[in-house]
Amino acid sequence: MAKLISKTYGEALFELAVEEEKTDAMLEEIEGIKQILLENQDYLKFLNHPRISVEEKVSTTENIFTGKIDKQLIGFLGIVINKGRCDSLMEILQYFLDRVKEFKGIGVAYVTTPYELKEDKKEAICKKLLATTSYKEMEMHYDVKAELLGGMQIRIGDRVVDSSIQTKLNQLQKDLLKIQI
């Protein structure tokens, strides 16, 4: 259900941005709003509090964001609050960000390795991903998990390439357990 809500609202916001030719500006503003929400968890609690009136939530939101973001975004936040969808706000904003990046040909890759990669290796991975996908640009996120032992995991959207030694050992263990002696 939450995924449907975030898609519905996020897609509406995306269509507005495209129609108004404001995808770049809205992308920047939405990233800013998301960062503010992440840094101010009390504001999210305020928006989700059942005893605070919708009018007070809308008024406070307008006071916080007026003059800082586009009026249409303030209106959009008001709609989300009025419809009681504040609990899905972060997912809505993330859907919009993902949709705009997809629209602009920017792929988002999450690379997990057992050790910190050097810059030249990171660049090589980025170039390889650009060459093997249809994206024009890659936004790279790197993570270190020592339990992988070796190799790497790459996730782009819902696609995962897992060449880690940990996964290969787990698969080998499953295969050995299937063998009957």
Side-chain angles (χ1 to χ4, degrees), residues 119-149:
E119 286 304 313
D120 60 332
K121 185 69 172 171
K122 289 179 180 181
E123 288 176 24
I125 292 170
C126 183
K127 285 180 184 176
K128 183 71 171 176
L129 290 175
L130 284 171
T132 57
T133 63
S134 60
Y135 296 113
K136 300 173 196 166
E137 254 181 84
M138 291 302 295
E139 180 181 302
M140 304 296 291
H141 299 273
Y142 295 95
D143 190 25
V144 175
K145 286 188 181 175
E147 60 267 15
L148 293 181
L149 303 174

PDB file of all heavy atoms in Angstrom, residues 119-149:
ATOM      1  N   GLU A 119      40.477   5.201  -5.675  1.00  0.00           N
ATOM      2  CA  GLU A 119      39.761   6.045  -6.635  1.00  0.00           C
ATOM      3  C   GLU A 119      39.828   5.504  -8.063  1.00  0.00           C
ATOM      4  O   GLU A 119      38.837   5.553  -8.783  1.00  0.00           O
ATOM      5  CB  GLU A 119      40.291   7.486  -6.600  1.00  0.00           C
ATOM      6  CG  GLU A 119      39.845   8.264  -5.380  1.00  0.00           C
ATOM      7  CD  GLU A 119      38.330   8.315  -5.202  1.00  0.00           C
ATOM      8  OE1 GLU A 119      37.613   8.600  -6.187  1.00  0.00           O
ATOM      9  OE2 GLU A 119      37.875   8.066  -4.081  1.00  0.00           O
ATOM     10  N   ASP A 120      40.988   4.990  -8.487  1.00  0.00           N
ATOM     11  CA  ASP A 120      41.091   4.480  -9.851  1.00  0.00           C
ATOM     12  C   ASP A 120      40.185   3.262 -10.070  1.00  0.00           C
ATOM     13  O   ASP A 120      39.590   3.087 -11.131  1.00  0.00           O
ATOM     14  CB  ASP A 120      42.550   4.164 -10.226  1.00  0.00           C
ATOM     15  CG  ASP A 120      43.196   3.116  -9.324  1.00  0.00           C
ATOM     16  OD1 ASP A 120      42.807   3.001  -8.151  1.00  0.00           O
ATOM     17  OD2 ASP A 120      44.110   2.419  -9.806  1.00  0.00           O
ATOM     18  N   LYS A 121      40.031   2.433  -9.035  1.00  0.00           N
ATOM     19  CA  LYS A 121      39.141   1.265  -9.123  1.00  0.00           C
ATOM     20  C   LYS A 121      37.678   1.719  -9.176  1.00  0.00           C
ATOM     21  O   LYS A 121      36.870   1.175  -9.936  1.00  0.00           O
ATOM     22  CB  LYS A 121      39.381   0.343  -7.922  1.00  0.00           C
ATOM     23  CG  LYS A 121      38.611  -0.944  -7.974  1.00  0.00           C
ATOM     24  CD  LYS A 121      39.112  -1.859  -9.066  1.00  0.00           C
ATOM     25  CE  LYS A 121      38.438  -3.209  -8.945  1.00  0.00           C
ATOM     26  NZ  LYS A 121      38.710  -4.079 -10.061  1.00  0.00           N
ATOM     27  N   LYS A 122      37.357   2.760  -8.384  1.00  0.00           N
ATOM     28  CA  LYS A 122      35.994   3.306  -8.406  1.00  0.00           C
ATOM     29  C   LYS A 122      35.657   3.858  -9.790  1.00  0.00           C
ATOM     30  O   LYS A 122      34.560   3.640 -10.303  1.00  0.00           O
ATOM     31  CB  LYS A 122      35.842   4.402  -7.350  1.00  0.00           C
ATOM     32  CG  LYS A 122      35.827   3.888  -5.929  1.00  0.00           C
ATOM     33  CD  LYS A 122      35.693   5.037  -4.948  1.00  0.00           C
ATOM     34  CE  LYS A 122      35.668   4.538  -3.516  1.00  0.00           C
ATOM     35  NZ  LYS A 122      35.515   5.647  -2.546  1.00  0.00           N
ATOM     36  N   GLU A 123      36.598   4.565 -10.392  1.00  0.00           N
ATOM     37  CA  GLU A 123      36.393   5.119 -11.727  1.00  0.00           C
ATOM     38  C   GLU A 123      36.217   4.014 -12.760  1.00  0.00           C
ATOM     39  O   GLU A 123      35.384   4.117 -13.663  1.00  0.00           O
ATOM     40  CB  GLU A 123      37.559   6.023 -12.116  1.00  0.00           C
ATOM     41  CG  GLU A 123      37.581   7.344 -11.377  1.00  0.00           C
ATOM     42  CD  GLU A 123      38.804   8.189 -11.706  1.00  0.00           C
ATOM     43  OE1 GLU A 123      39.397   8.005 -12.792  1.00  0.00           O
ATOM     44  OE2 GLU A 123      39.154   9.028 -10.866  1.00  0.00           O
ATOM     45  N   ALA A 124      36.997   2.938 -12.619  1.00  0.00           N
ATOM     46  CA  ALA A 124      36.894   1.816 -13.553  1.00  0.00           C
ATOM     47  C   ALA A 124      35.528   1.144 -13.446  1.00  0.00           C
ATOM     48  O   ALA A 124      34.918   0.790 -14.472  1.00  0.00           O
ATOM     49  CB  ALA A 124      38.008   0.801 -13.278  1.00  0.00           C
ATOM     50  N   ILE A 125      35.020   0.994 -12.230  1.00  0.00           N
ATOM     51  CA  ILE A 125      33.698   0.397 -12.031  1.00  0.00           C
ATOM     52  C   ILE A 125      32.620   1.285 -12.657  1.00  0.00           C
ATOM     53  O   ILE A 125      31.731   0.811 -13.357  1.00  0.00           O
ATOM     54  CB  ILE A 125      33.416   0.157 -10.531  1.00  0.00           C
ATOM     55  CG1 ILE A 125      34.342  -0.933  -9.990  1.00  0.00           C
ATOM     56  CG2 ILE A 125      31.954  -0.213 -10.290  1.00  0.00           C
ATOM     57  CD1 ILE A 125      34.328  -1.083  -8.476  1.00  0.00           C
ATOM     58  N   CYS A 126      32.730   2.583 -12.424  1.00  0.00           N
ATOM     59  CA  CYS A 126      31.763   3.534 -12.987  1.00  0.00           C
ATOM     60  C   CYS A 126      31.772   3.481 -14.512  1.00  0.00           C
ATOM     61  O   CYS A 126      30.708   3.412 -15.141  1.00  0.00           O
ATOM     62  CB  CYS A 126      32.071   4.948 -12.494  1.00  0.00           C
ATOM     63  SG  CYS A 126      30.880   6.177 -13.053  1.00  0.00           S
ATOM     64  N   LYS A 127      32.953   3.475 -15.116  1.00  0.00           N
ATOM     65  CA  LYS A 127      33.058   3.408 -16.581  1.00  0.00           C
ATOM     66  C   LYS A 127      32.469   2.111 -17.110  1.00  0.00           C
ATOM     67  O   LYS A 127      31.785   2.102 -18.143  1.00  0.00           O
ATOM     68  CB  LYS A 127      34.523   3.537 -17.011  1.00  0.00           C
ATOM     69  CG  LYS A 127      35.054   4.945 -16.905  1.00  0.00           C
ATOM     70  CD  LYS A 127      36.500   5.018 -17.341  1.00  0.00           C
ATOM     71  CE  LYS A 127      37.053   6.430 -17.146  1.00  0.00           C
ATOM     72  NZ  LYS A 127      38.471   6.529 -17.468  1.00  0.00           N
ATOM     73  N   LYS A 128      32.723   1.008 -16.427  1.00  0.00           N
ATOM     74  CA  LYS A 128      32.203  -0.294 -16.852  1.00  0.00           C
ATOM     75  C   LYS A 128      30.672  -0.303 -16.782  1.00  0.00           C
ATOM     76  O   LYS A 128      30.006  -0.806 -17.696  1.00  0.00           O
ATOM     77  CB  LYS A 128      32.789  -1.404 -15.969  1.00  0.00           C
ATOM     78  CG  LYS A 128      32.374  -2.788 -16.362  1.00  0.00           C
ATOM     79  CD  LYS A 128      33.020  -3.198 -17.655  1.00  0.00           C
ATOM     80  CE  LYS A 128      32.759  -4.664 -17.921  1.00  0.00           C
ATOM     81  NZ  LYS A 128      33.278  -5.106 -19.194  1.00  0.00           N
ATOM     82  N   LEU A 129      30.115   0.284 -15.725  1.00  0.00           N
ATOM     83  CA  LEU A 129      28.661   0.343 -15.592  1.00  0.00           C
ATOM     84  C   LEU A 129      28.042   1.226 -16.674  1.00  0.00           C
ATOM     85  O   LEU A 129      26.994   0.892 -17.230  1.00  0.00           O
ATOM     86  CB  LEU A 129      28.263   0.833 -14.203  1.00  0.00           C
ATOM     87  CG  LEU A 129      28.542  -0.134 -13.054  1.00  0.00           C
ATOM     88  CD1 LEU A 129      28.224   0.515 -11.711  1.00  0.00           C
ATOM     89  CD2 LEU A 129      27.761  -1.429 -13.224  1.00  0.00           C
ATOM     90  N   LEU A 130      28.690   2.329 -16.992  1.00  0.00           N
ATOM     91  CA  LEU A 130      28.194   3.203 -18.058  1.00  0.00           C
ATOM     92  C   LEU A 130      28.227   2.485 -19.407  1.00  0.00           C
ATOM     93  O   LEU A 130      27.329   2.646 -20.222  1.00  0.00           O
ATOM     94  CB  LEU A 130      29.007   4.495 -18.129  1.00  0.00           C
ATOM     95  CG  LEU A 130      28.701   5.525 -17.036  1.00  0.00           C
ATOM     96  CD1 LEU A 130      29.713   6.658 -17.068  1.00  0.00           C
ATOM     97  CD2 LEU A 130      27.289   6.070 -17.185  1.00  0.00           C
ATOM     98  N   ALA A 131      29.269   1.682 -19.611  1.00  0.00           N
ATOM     99  CA  ALA A 131      29.414   0.964 -20.880  1.00  0.00           C
ATOM    100  C   ALA A 131      28.408  -0.181 -21.016  1.00  0.00           C
ATOM    101  O   ALA A 131      28.001  -0.519 -22.130  1.00  0.00           O
ATOM    102  CB  ALA A 131      30.836   0.421 -21.009  1.00  0.00           C
ATOM    103  N   THR A 132      27.991  -0.761 -19.897  1.00  0.00           N
ATOM    104  CA  THR A 132      27.109  -1.928 -19.959  1.00  0.00           C
ATOM    105  C   THR A 132      25.636  -1.620 -19.669  1.00  0.00           C
ATOM    106  O   THR A 132      24.813  -2.527 -19.661  1.00  0.00           O
ATOM    107  CB  THR A 132      27.588  -3.023 -18.982  1.00  0.00           C
ATOM    108  OG1 THR A 132      27.637  -2.464 -17.665  1.00  0.00           O
ATOM    109  CG2 THR A 132      28.942  -3.557 -19.378  1.00  0.00           C
ATOM    110  N   THR A 133      25.328  -0.353 -19.420  1.00  0.00           N
ATOM    111  CA  THR A 133      23.935   0.044 -19.188  1.00  0.00           C
ATOM    112  C   THR A 133      23.562   1.145 -20.175  1.00  0.00           C
ATOM    113  O   THR A 133      24.411   1.628 -20.918  1.00  0.00           O
ATOM    114  CB  THR A 133      23.723   0.570 -17.744  1.00  0.00           C
ATOM    115  OG1 THR A 133      24.515   1.744 -17.547  1.00  0.00           O
ATOM    116  CG2 THR A 133      24.098  -0.485 -16.708  1.00  0.00           C
ATOM    117  N   SER A 134      22.330   1.547 -20.139  1.00  0.00           N
ATOM    118  CA  SER A 134      21.874   2.605 -21.039  1.00  0.00           C
ATOM    119  C   SER A 134      21.933   3.987 -20.391  1.00  0.00           C
ATOM    120  O   SER A 134      21.444   4.955 -20.960  1.00  0.00           O
ATOM    121  CB  SER A 134      20.439   2.306 -21.489  1.00  0.00           C
ATOM    122  OG  SER A 134      19.582   2.251 -20.363  1.00  0.00           O
ATOM    123  N   TYR A 135      22.523   4.072 -19.203  1.00  0.00           N
ATOM    124  CA  TYR A 135      22.590   5.359 -18.504  1.00  0.00           C
ATOM    125  C   TYR A 135      23.662   6.256 -19.084  1.00  0.00           C
ATOM    126  O   TYR A 135      24.695   5.800 -19.555  1.00  0.00           O
ATOM    127  CB  TYR A 135      22.856   5.135 -17.007  1.00  0.00           C
ATOM    128  CG  TYR A 135      21.737   4.403 -16.317  1.00  0.00           C
ATOM    129  CD1 TYR A 135      21.917   3.121 -15.824  1.00  0.00           C
ATOM    130  CD2 TYR A 135      20.490   4.998 -16.163  1.00  0.00           C
ATOM    131  CE1 TYR A 135      20.894   2.444 -15.196  1.00  0.00           C
ATOM    132  CE2 TYR A 135      19.457   4.329 -15.537  1.00  0.00           C
ATOM    133  CZ  TYR A 135      19.666   3.060 -15.052  1.00  0.00           C
ATOM    134  OH  TYR A 135      18.652   2.398 -14.433  1.00  0.00           O
ATOM    135  N   LYS A 136      23.397   7.569 -19.004  1.00  0.00           N
ATOM    136  CA  LYS A 136      24.357   8.580 -19.465  1.00  0.00           C
ATOM    137  C   LYS A 136      25.324   8.957 -18.354  1.00  0.00           C
ATOM    138  O   LYS A 136      26.441   9.388 -18.617  1.00  0.00           O
ATOM    139  CB  LYS A 136      23.617   9.843 -19.915  1.00  0.00           C
ATOM    140  CG  LYS A 136      22.644   9.629 -21.053  1.00  0.00           C
ATOM    141  CD  LYS A 136      21.857  10.901 -21.293  1.00  0.00           C
ATOM    142  CE  LYS A 136      20.633  10.606 -22.146  1.00  0.00           C
ATOM    143  NZ  LYS A 136      19.679  11.698 -22.131  1.00  0.00           N
ATOM    144  N   GLU A 137      24.857   8.822 -17.123  1.00  0.00           N
ATOM    145  CA  GLU A 137      25.635   9.183 -15.941  1.00  0.00           C
ATOM    146  C   GLU A 137      25.367   8.151 -14.864  1.00  0.00           C
ATOM    147  O   GLU A 137      24.310   7.529 -14.851  1.00  0.00           O
ATOM    148  CB  GLU A 137      25.124  10.527 -15.386  1.00  0.00           C
ATOM    149  CG  GLU A 137      25.979  11.721 -15.611  1.00  0.00           C
ATOM    150  CD  GLU A 137      25.330  12.945 -14.976  1.00  0.00           C
ATOM    151  OE1 GLU A 137      25.525  13.134 -13.766  1.00  0.00           O
ATOM    152  OE2 GLU A 137      24.643  13.685 -15.697  1.00  0.00           O
ATOM    153  N   MET A 138      26.298   8.028 -13.932  1.00  0.00           N
ATOM    154  CA  MET A 138      26.095   7.119 -12.802  1.00  0.00           C
ATOM    155  C   MET A 138      26.310   7.889 -11.506  1.00  0.00           C
ATOM    156  O   MET A 138      27.282   8.642 -11.376  1.00  0.00           O
ATOM    157  CB  MET A 138      27.068   5.936 -12.847  1.00  0.00           C
ATOM    158  CG  MET A 138      26.836   4.936 -13.954  1.00  0.00           C
ATOM    159  SD  MET A 138      25.216   4.154 -14.005  1.00  0.00           S
ATOM    160  CE  MET A 138      25.195   3.223 -12.512  1.00  0.00           C
ATOM    161  N   GLU A 139      25.408   7.686 -10.572  1.00  0.00           N
ATOM    162  CA  GLU A 139      25.575   8.193  -9.211  1.00  0.00           C
ATOM    163  C   GLU A 139      26.020   6.986  -8.393  1.00  0.00           C
ATOM    164  O   GLU A 139      25.268   6.030  -8.228  1.00  0.00           O
ATOM    165  CB  GLU A 139      24.244   8.734  -8.699  1.00  0.00           C
ATOM    166  CG  GLU A 139      24.299   9.294  -7.304  1.00  0.00           C
ATOM    167  CD  GLU A 139      22.938   9.783  -6.847  1.00  0.00           C
ATOM    168  OE1 GLU A 139      22.363  10.663  -7.527  1.00  0.00           O
ATOM    169  OE2 GLU A 139      22.442   9.276  -5.816  1.00  0.00           O
ATOM    170  N   MET A 140      27.236   7.032  -7.906  1.00  0.00           N
ATOM    171  CA  MET A 140      27.834   5.871  -7.255  1.00  0.00           C
ATOM    172  C   MET A 140      27.800   6.012  -5.735  1.00  0.00           C
ATOM    173  O   MET A 140      28.104   7.067  -5.189  1.00  0.00           O
ATOM    174  CB  MET A 140      29.285   5.702  -7.720  1.00  0.00           C
ATOM    175  CG  MET A 140      29.465   5.578  -9.230  1.00  0.00           C
ATOM    176  SD  MET A 140      28.709   4.122  -9.956  1.00  0.00           S
ATOM    177  CE  MET A 140      29.751   2.848  -9.285  1.00  0.00           C
ATOM    178  N   HIS A 141      27.428   4.907  -5.076  1.00  0.00           N
ATOM    179  CA  HIS A 141      27.437   4.831  -3.614  1.00  0.00           C
ATOM    180  C   HIS A 141      28.251   3.595  -3.244  1.00  0.00           C
ATOM    181  O   HIS A 141      27.963   2.499  -3.713  1.00  0.00           O
ATOM    182  CB  HIS A 141      26.020   4.703  -3.061  1.00  0.00           C
ATOM    183  CG  HIS A 141      25.146   5.860  -3.410  1.00  0.00           C
ATOM    184  ND1 HIS A 141      25.093   6.995  -2.653  1.00  0.00           N
ATOM    185  CD2 HIS A 141      24.303   6.062  -4.455  1.00  0.00           C
ATOM    186  CE1 HIS A 141      24.241   7.848  -3.204  1.00  0.00           C
ATOM    187  NE2 HIS A 141      23.760   7.308  -4.305  1.00  0.00           N
ATOM    188  N   TYR A 142      29.244   3.791  -2.405  1.00  0.00           N
ATOM    189  CA  TYR A 142      30.128   2.686  -2.024  1.00  0.00           C
ATOM    190  C   TYR A 142      29.945   2.348  -0.558  1.00  0.00           C
ATOM    191  O   TYR A 142      29.762   3.232   0.282  1.00  0.00           O
ATOM    192  CB  TYR A 142      31.592   3.052  -2.302  1.00  0.00           C
ATOM    193  CG  TYR A 142      31.872   3.235  -3.771  1.00  0.00           C
ATOM    194  CD1 TYR A 142      31.835   4.495  -4.351  1.00  0.00           C
ATOM    195  CD2 TYR A 142      32.149   2.144  -4.586  1.00  0.00           C
ATOM    196  CE1 TYR A 142      32.071   4.655  -5.708  1.00  0.00           C
ATOM    197  CE2 TYR A 142      32.378   2.304  -5.935  1.00  0.00           C
ATOM    198  CZ  TYR A 142      32.340   3.561  -6.493  1.00  0.00           C
ATOM    199  OH  TYR A 142      32.567   3.725  -7.832  1.00  0.00           O
ATOM    200  N   ASP A 143      29.992   1.052  -0.264  1.00  0.00           N
ATOM    201  CA  ASP A 143      29.860   0.572   1.105  1.00  0.00           C
ATOM    202  C   ASP A 143      30.887  -0.536   1.312  1.00  0.00           C
ATOM    203  O   ASP A 143      31.267  -1.221   0.358  1.00  0.00           O
ATOM    204  CB  ASP A 143      28.439   0.036   1.329  1.00  0.00           C
ATOM    205  CG  ASP A 143      28.153  -0.256   2.789  1.00  0.00           C
ATOM    206  OD1 ASP A 143      28.794   0.346   3.672  1.00  0.00           O
ATOM    207  OD2 ASP A 143      27.265  -1.097   3.054  1.00  0.00           O
ATOM    208  N   VAL A 144      31.324  -0.698   2.546  1.00  0.00           N
ATOM    209  CA  VAL A 144      32.295  -1.733   2.890  1.00  0.00           C
ATOM    210  C   VAL A 144      31.657  -2.712   3.863  1.00  0.00           C
ATOM    211  O   VAL A 144      31.107  -2.301   4.889  1.00  0.00           O
ATOM    212  CB  VAL A 144      33.568  -1.112   3.524  1.00  0.00           C
ATOM    213  CG1 VAL A 144      34.526  -2.193   3.983  1.00  0.00           C
ATOM    214  CG2 VAL A 144      34.242  -0.174   2.541  1.00  0.00           C
ATOM    215  N   LYS A 145      31.705  -4.007   3.516  1.00  0.00           N
ATOM    216  CA  LYS A 145      31.241  -5.077   4.400  1.00  0.00           C
ATOM    217  C   LYS A 145      32.294  -6.171   4.379  1.00  0.00           C
ATOM    218  O   LYS A 145      32.425  -6.908   3.399  1.00  0.00           O
ATOM    219  CB  LYS A 145      29.903  -5.645   3.935  1.00  0.00           C
ATOM    220  CG  LYS A 145      28.731  -4.753   4.205  1.00  0.00           C
ATOM    221  CD  LYS A 145      27.441  -5.468   3.885  1.00  0.00           C
ATOM    222  CE  LYS A 145      26.262  -4.548   4.137  1.00  0.00           C
ATOM    223  NZ  LYS A 145      25.010  -5.183   3.723  1.00  0.00           N
ATOM    224  N   ALA A 146      33.042  -6.275   5.451  1.00  0.00           N
ATOM    225  CA  ALA A 146      34.149  -7.231   5.524  1.00  0.00           C
ATOM    226  C   ALA A 146      33.683  -8.673   5.358  1.00  0.00           C
ATOM    227  O   ALA A 146      34.437  -9.517   4.864  1.00  0.00           O
ATOM    228  CB  ALA A 146      34.895  -7.070   6.850  1.00  0.00           C
ATOM    229  N   GLU A 147      32.430  -8.977   5.737  1.00  0.00           N
ATOM    230  CA  GLU A 147      31.951 -10.353   5.655  1.00  0.00           C
ATOM    231  C   GLU A 147      31.820 -10.878   4.226  1.00  0.00           C
ATOM    232  O   GLU A 147      31.634 -12.067   4.014  1.00  0.00           O
ATOM    233  CB  GLU A 147      30.626 -10.531   6.410  1.00  0.00           C
ATOM    234  CG  GLU A 147      29.477  -9.689   5.933  1.00  0.00           C
ATOM    235  CD  GLU A 147      29.345  -8.367   6.681  1.00  0.00           C
ATOM    236  OE1 GLU A 147      30.267  -7.943   7.374  1.00  0.00           O
ATOM    237  OE2 GLU A 147      28.299  -7.732   6.530  1.00  0.00           O
ATOM    238  N   LEU A 148      31.942 -10.012   3.218  1.00  0.00           N
ATOM    239  CA  LEU A 148      31.903 -10.474   1.821  1.00  0.00           C
ATOM    240  C   LEU A 148      33.153 -11.278   1.463  1.00  0.00           C
ATOM    241  O   LEU A 148      33.150 -12.032   0.505  1.00  0.00           O
ATOM    242  CB  LEU A 148      31.765  -9.296   0.861  1.00  0.00           C
ATOM    243  CG  LEU A 148      30.462  -8.526   0.897  1.00  0.00           C
ATOM    244  CD1 LEU A 148      30.482  -7.414  -0.145  1.00  0.00           C
ATOM    245  CD2 LEU A 148      29.274  -9.422   0.684  1.00  0.00           C
ATOM    246  N   LEU A 149      34.233 -11.070   2.193  1.00  0.00           N
ATOM    247  CA  LEU A 149      35.516 -11.761   2.035  1.00  0.00           C
ATOM    248  C   LEU A 149      36.276 -11.359   0.772  1.00  0.00           C
ATOM    249  O   LEU A 149      37.476 -11.197   0.790  1.00  0.00           O
ATOM    250  CB  LEU A 149      35.353 -13.286   2.067  1.00  0.00           C
ATOM    251  CG  LEU A 149      34.691 -13.874   3.303  1.00  0.00           C
ATOM    252  CD1 LEU A 149      34.474 -15.371   3.124  1.00  0.00           C
ATOM    253  CD2 LEU A 149      35.476 -13.580   4.553  1.00  0.00           C
TER     254      LEU A 149
END
